[in-house]
Amino acid sequence: YGFINTCLKSLVVEKYGEETWEKLRLQAGVQDSFLTFEVYKDEITMQLVDKACKVLGVPADIVLREFGKYFFEFCKRSGYDHMLRTLGGNLYEFIENLDALHSYLSLSYQASLIATAEQEMNAPSFRVEKNEDGSMHLHYYSDRRGLCHIVPGIIGAAALDFFNIEISMKIVNQTEEEERTGKKEHIVFLVTQNPLFPCKERNEFSSSSQCLVDSEKQIENQLNKEDLEKAKNANGDRGNSVCPVKKSHWKTLRGIITLGKGKLLRGFDPVYPKSLWIDTKTFCNGLPFHMVFDKELKVKQAGVSIQKIVPGLQTMGISLDQYFRIIHPEVPFTISSIQKFINSQFVFQTRREMMPESWKERPMLELRGQMMWMEPLQCMLYLCSPLLRSLHELEERQMHIADIAPHDVTRDLILLNQQRLAEMELSSQLERKKEELRILSKHLEEEKKKTEALLYAMLPQHVANQLKEGKRVEAGEFKECTILFSDVVTFTNICAQCEPIQIVLMLNSMYLRFDRLTTVHDVYKVETIGDAYMVVGGVPVPVPTHAERVANFALGMIMAAKGVQNPVSGNPIQIRVGIHTGPVLAGVVGEKMPRYCLFGDTVNIASRMESHGVPSKIHLSSSAYQCLKYKNFEITERGEIEVKGKGKMHTYFLIRNKSATENEIMGRP
């Protein structure tokens, strides 16, 4: 179910971050989120575990153990804390009732699937055995191989949290057994307990032998000799018989308490009648769902309601396995297998082929209950109730509430579960809507980022943000910046001899290279008009290194242009580059297709440097030269030239950067 995968995601995100989860998820090829009651393939979980081991560089057994610990905490946070705490008063009882918990949860989870195809919650099974030295053998059965290391994590976390003990678990046996559904992994763990706190601080270990001894000593010390003497007198003269039997201190104390000194603190001795005060008919009517069978599985007795549903049981002596199959635990239908799992809940299902012909279209009835071995009779008693999740299932089997005994809580469970079904369906719908909204929100965020990226490519980010907020962008004066213009040599002739699409492809190839260089050298692209390309350094964010940035960008342009082919000659294209440094005024012009434009004589002079330049050369004004002459650039003097509209100007050529390699200029690794 999605609950497991959600827990695994939560573990990775909480301990290693969202980025690690995203990387793991993409490698595993699974979705980002999971619905709690949705059924997912086991392969998804296995893939996630496998990729987690590789991404985190941690062995599988450690990952699974950590997942087990976290899964326990995740269950507590998800509302199962109270349910888990009440499973048992000590670790043995807790483990012994895990199968019962799975059986209950299967009702909830399967109920959510009634509208679709019915599916079983394929939970693992546990069986625990006590050893004389206080240790336990935990038997773990599962159809899913390779996940056994989760068990020590879960059980260890539960023991520490609920019972204040540390445990160690090691695998002592590992086999595969042929069960009803095929091969089933069977792992045997040796569980040893190590108390963390003194016995008196842990009520859960009241049944342990050491606690019992300590408690006896405490009570014995509190009682005075007079009470002991009175107890002995009250018990009569049996102690003075011919064969006196020495009583232990604890038996003496029990006598005192039983005689009225207080409530019995420990132990309980039930009282049984000499004969059973109930007749057969009343028993079969009072417990309408019960069966008694012997070692050969021959039915000796059955309740009235189960006879009504399975008419074949009215023929005493028939074999039980002819009419039923064991659904849980998944064991062979033999008396020895049943005795091995005597503490587990047993689920029986009627066999379709043994039902009357007119009933074979009905869903088969399932019974759930406990087994009790009756040693004197050498027979097994199966006390059970119909396993029904809703009124719909009751009607499908043509049963009625009246068929269930008034004292059987199954009546209440069916009615309560009917209400719970409606709540779960609503919860499931809300969860699906939440997931849909999350996906839509994610897509919206992605589209927003694309829109912003497009907007920021057209306008400086702070200017774009002001326009998005509806604010007016005031023009700003920049006292010093460096402007670059470039154009393609003989562009007019190229256009005259080529198809328009060839021109577009050539310019696109060139501009893509130039655009990448603007990012490398952190300069702002102002605009392109035809073959003209304009950038600025120090605008819109003033920086002292504006001239160096533009100079390095210009050197990169000359190198990049060599990779663009002239569609007429087939040779690399040639460009002219002009650079000038000075003050400008910058601002946004227009409302439709707004552009961030630069104004001032600096723009005109930079354009003149380009138009009066030389092919494959970077033409510098004197102000640009002054900014670069002490910055490790190789510059040669061109001398005075006549500049249109400006008269004579002293200009220079930028040759190279003495301290930067070609790869650094081009932004290559």
Side-chain angles (χ1 to χ4, degrees):
Y1 287 88
F3 185 81
I4 303 295
N5 296 333
T6 301
C7 173
L8 186 53
K9 174 186 175 180
S10 180
L11 168 63
V12 174
V13 170
E14 190 173 304
K15 291 188 177 292
Y16 302 100
E18 284 278 1
E19 298 80 10
T20 304
W21 164 251
E22 191 65 19
K23 181 180 178 183
L24 190 157
R25 178 185 76 80
L26 291 173
Q27 287 191 17
V30 301
Q31 64 265 49
D32 184 44
S33 59
F34 306 91
L35 301 177
T36 302
F37 295 106
E38 194 78 22
V39 178
Y40 297 91
K41 292 181 179 178
D42 286 349
E43 288 77 10
I44 292 178
T45 308
M46 299 299 188
Q47 271 288 95
L48 286 172
V49 172
D50 178 59
K51 297 303 178 185
C53 296
K54 293 177 180 177
V55 170
L56 303 176
V58 180
D61 58 332
I62 296 177
V63 169
L64 292 172
R65 188 181 289 264
E66 285 302 312
F67 174 68
K69 292 178 183 177
Y70 188 84
F71 181 70
F72 173 74
E73 294 298 328
F74 189 76
C75 288
K76 287 172 59 182
R77 294 203 302 263
S78 301
Y80 294 100
D81 180 42
H82 195 214
M83 188 184 299
L84 290 168
R85 287 184 183 277
T86 54
L87 279 184
N90 54 50
L91 186 60
Y92 176 83
E93 294 175 354
F94 177 85
I95 298 172
E96 195 176 43
N97 284 282
L98 280 177
D99 278 13
L101 175 64
H102 284 147
S103 179
Y104 163 75
L105 292 177
S106 69
L107 291 179
S108 299
Y109 278 77
Q110 287 181 43
S112 66
L113 300 168
I114 287 176
T116 60
E118 187 175 339
Q119 301 181 46
E120 291 185 16
M121 179 178 175
N122 192 11
S125 183
F126 297 90
R127 180 168 62 87
V128 63
E129 299 170 343
K130 282 184 178 179
N131 300 324
E132 292 182 0
D133 60 356
S135 64
M136 294 182 289
H137 278 113
L138 171 59
H139 296 259
Y140 164 79
Y141 303 85
S142 176
D143 289 334
R144 302 176 179 91
R145 291 167 184 79
L147 298 180
C148 61
H149 295 288
I150 293 177
V151 177
I154 296 175
I155 301 299
L160 189 62
D161 191 297
F162 293 162
F163 311 114
N164 292 327
I165 58 169
E166 281 184 341
I167 63 169
S168 60
M169 295 179 64
K170 66 177 182 179
I171 297 175
V172 294
N173 193 20
Q174 186 169 357
T175 58
E176 282 190 344
E177 296 183 1
E178 292 285 346
E179 303 292 356
R180 181 178 61 86
T181 56
K183 287 188 177 180
K184 199 175 189 71
E185 188 176 57
H186 176 198
I187 309 291
V188 182
F189 293 94
L190 177 63
V191 184
T192 53
Q193 305 180 18
N194 305 307
L196 282 180
F197 303 106
C199 175
K200 61 182 180 180
E201 295 181 15
R202 298 195 316 274
N203 55 14
E204 61 270 19
F205 291 103
S206 59
S207 61
S208 68
S209 60
Q210 186 59 44
C211 289
L212 186 60
V213 172
D214 293 346
S215 300
E216 290 178 14
K217 289 181 179 178
Q218 290 174 7
I219 297 173
E220 183 177 351
N221 291 336
Q222 291 173 1
L223 296 172
N224 55 40
K225 293 180 180 179
E226 185 178 348
D227 288 332
L228 290 171
E229 290 297 326
K230 288 181 179 179
K232 291 176 182 178
N233 294 334
N235 281 323
D237 296 329
R238 293 178 185 176
N240 298 323
S241 61
V242 178
C243 298
V245 179
K246 185 177 180 181
K247 290 187 178 182
S248 68
H249 294 302
W250 181 243
K251 287 184 178 178
T252 304
L253 296 175
R254 178 176 290 179
I256 297 170
I257 297 168
T258 306
L259 288 171
K261 287 289 183 180
K263 293 182 179 179
L264 185 63
L265 296 179
R266 295 190 182 278
F268 170 70
D269 292 328
V271 177
Y272 299 104
K274 292 180 180 179
S275 59
L276 191 62
W277 286 86
I278 183 170
D279 63 275
T280 306
K281 185 177 179 180
T282 303
F283 188 89
C284 291
N285 281 302
L287 296 174
F289 289 94
H290 83 275
M291 290 181 285
V292 177
F293 54 95
D294 62 15
K295 288 183 176 182
E296 285 73 39
L297 304 180
K298 301 296 183 183
V299 177
K300 300 297 183 182
Q301 181 177 310
V304 293
S305 291
I306 203 169
Q307 292 179 37
K308 178 181 175 183
I309 296 165
V310 187
L313 294 180
Q314 292 184 313
T315 306
M316 295 304 161
I318 58 107
S319 292
L320 189 63
D321 57 345
Q322 285 184 296
Y323 285 86
F324 293 93
R325 61 169 57 91
I326 299 178
I327 301 297
H328 180 84
E330 294 175 352
V331 295
F333 209 141
T334 62
I335 202 73
S336 59
S337 297
I338 293 173
Q339 286 177 324
K340 187 189 294 184
F341 286 83
I342 194 76
N343 292 321
S344 299
Q345 283 192 337
F346 277 78
V347 177
F348 280 12
Q349 185 185 63
T350 53
R351 292 184 180 273
R352 189 176 299 276
E353 63 271 16
M354 299 302 292
M355 294 296 103
E357 194 66 34
S358 59
W359 293 7
K360 288 188 178 180
E361 296 303 317
R362 300 181 191 174
M364 292 298 96
L365 178 69
E366 291 184 358
L367 302 172
R368 182 179 64 180
Q370 71 175 111
M371 295 288 181
M372 301 181 72
W373 177 247
M374 298 180 289
E375 186 64 31
L377 300 176
Q378 290 290 292
C379 286
M380 188 73 74
L381 170 63
Y382 182 41
L383 289 171
C384 57
S385 298
L387 183 56
L388 300 168
R389 305 175 185 89
S390 64
L391 293 173
H392 176 70
E393 289 189 359
L394 189 76
E395 291 172 341
E396 279 186 327
R397 289 154 181 80
Q398 297 188 14
M399 292 178 62
H400 303 87
I401 293 290
D403 294 325
I404 304 170
H407 62 77
D408 193 337
V409 294
T410 304
R411 284 180 168 221
D412 299 323
L413 286 176
I414 292 172
L415 297 174
L416 287 172
N417 214 35
Q418 189 70 25
Q419 180 182 353
R420 178 171 168 75
L421 272 174
E423 293 172 354
M424 285 180 62
E425 179 60 29
L426 180 61
S427 175
S428 183
Q429 289 179 9
L430 289 173
E431 194 173 8
R432 284 189 174 85
K433 291 295 181 185
K434 181 182 175 182
E435 178 62 14
E436 289 173 7
L437 287 173
R438 188 193 68 80
I439 293 172
L440 287 173
S441 177
K442 185 178 179 180
H443 289 165
L444 181 62
E445 189 64 30
E446 290 172 357
E447 293 302 318
K448 182 183 176 185
K449 286 179 180 178
K450 291 179 184 177
T451 305
E452 288 179 345
L454 184 61
L455 183 60
Y456 295 154
M458 298 170 62
L459 294 167
Q461 187 169 338
H462 75 281
V463 172
N465 290 336
Q466 284 182 286
L467 291 175
K468 283 197 301 182
E469 293 169 5
K471 298 178 181 178
R472 182 182 176 185
V473 181
E474 299 291 339
E477 183 179 356
F478 296 85
K479 293 184 178 179
E480 188 175 74
C481 69
T482 299
I483 298 176
L484 174 149
F485 277 93
S486 76
D487 75 343
V488 178
V489 178
T490 68
F491 182 69
T492 305
N493 295 335
I494 294 173
C495 290
Q497 300 177 51
C498 293
E499 294 292 330
I501 188 62
Q502 292 177 293
I503 303 300
V504 170
L505 293 174
M506 181 192 75
L507 291 177
N508 186 56
S509 175
M510 182 178 69
Y511 288 160
L512 285 175
R513 288 169 165 81
F514 292 173
D515 289 346
R516 191 184 70 82
L517 288 172
T518 61
T519 304
V520 172
H521 298 290
D522 197 16
V523 293
Y524 179 68
K525 176 184 174 182
V526 181
E527 63 181 347
T528 58
I529 302 174
D531 64 325
Y533 196 92
M534 178 184 178
V535 301
V536 62
V539 177
V541 180
V543 289
T545 57
H546 53 86
E548 296 98 296
R549 294 184 183 190
V550 173
N552 285 322
F553 174 76
L555 291 169
M557 291 178 83
I558 298 296
M559 297 174 190
K562 294 176 182 178
V564 182
Q565 193 178 50
N566 185 327
V568 176
S569 65
N571 298 322
I573 63 169
Q574 290 183 305
I575 61 171
R576 284 188 297 261
V577 180
I579 298 175
H580 176 62
T581 299
V584 296
L585 188 72
V588 177
V589 178
E591 289 184 352
K592 290 191 176 182
M593 292 289 290
R595 299 297 300 171
Y596 188 69
C597 297
L598 306 182
F599 302 94
D601 196 43
T602 301
V603 179
N604 296 329
I605 296 174
S607 178
R608 294 290 183 267
M609 290 298 102
E610 175 266 314
S611 61
H612 290 74
V614 178
S616 299
K617 293 281 188 178
I618 301 168
H619 197 196
L620 302 179
S621 69
S622 58
S623 61
Y625 167 74
Q626 292 299 323
C627 290
L628 295 173
K629 65 179 179 179
Y630 301 118
K631 304 294 184 180
N632 276 331
F633 287 96
E634 183 180 334
I635 302 172
T636 61
E637 185 177 358
R638 184 181 186 185
E640 281 193 354
I641 62 170
E642 186 71 30
V643 177
K644 183 181 177 181
K646 296 298 177 182
K648 292 188 181 296
M649 291 185 69
H650 206 85
T651 61
Y652 303 82
F653 286 125
L654 174 64
I655 306 302
R656 67 187 181 92
N657 186 328
K658 297 177 184 179
S659 60
T661 65
E662 182 177 327
N663 283 339
E664 289 174 332
I665 293 293
M666 296 301 294
R668 292 192 289 254

